[in-house]
Amino acid sequence: MRLPHFQYHAPKTIEALASFKERYGNQALIMGGGTELLPRMKLRLINPEHIISVLNIKELGKIKINKEKEIEIGA
């Protein structure tokens, strides 16, 4: 089964991500890895016109343990 037609966007900053989401609104979905989103698209359960990937945004890719011994993931 093939994916429906969509435009793919890969912003490199959180500001650019926000700009894409503001521009396309409900026509766009944000994709992290795609393991849940792409199969749903193949089954035609959802049909977004735009996919915005967060994989190239460095601020969202960090994992660290802070001073309080809590794990921080992403921004």
Side-chain angles (χ1 to χ4, degrees), residues 31-69:
M31 179 173 74
T35 58
E36 187 265 338
L37 179 66
L38 297 178
R40 290 179 56 207
M41 289 175 66
K42 285 183 180 180
L43 293 171
R44 304 300 195 259
L45 299 173
I46 56 174
N47 190 18
E49 294 181 28
H50 301 269
I51 298 294
I52 306 170
S53 173
V54 297
L55 295 178
N56 292 329
I57 302 175
K58 292 180 184 178
E59 294 90 352
L60 298 179
K62 64 182 177 184
I63 299 175
K64 68 177 185 178
I65 299 175
N66 65 21
K67 293 177 183 177
E68 291 78 33
K69 305 266 188 218

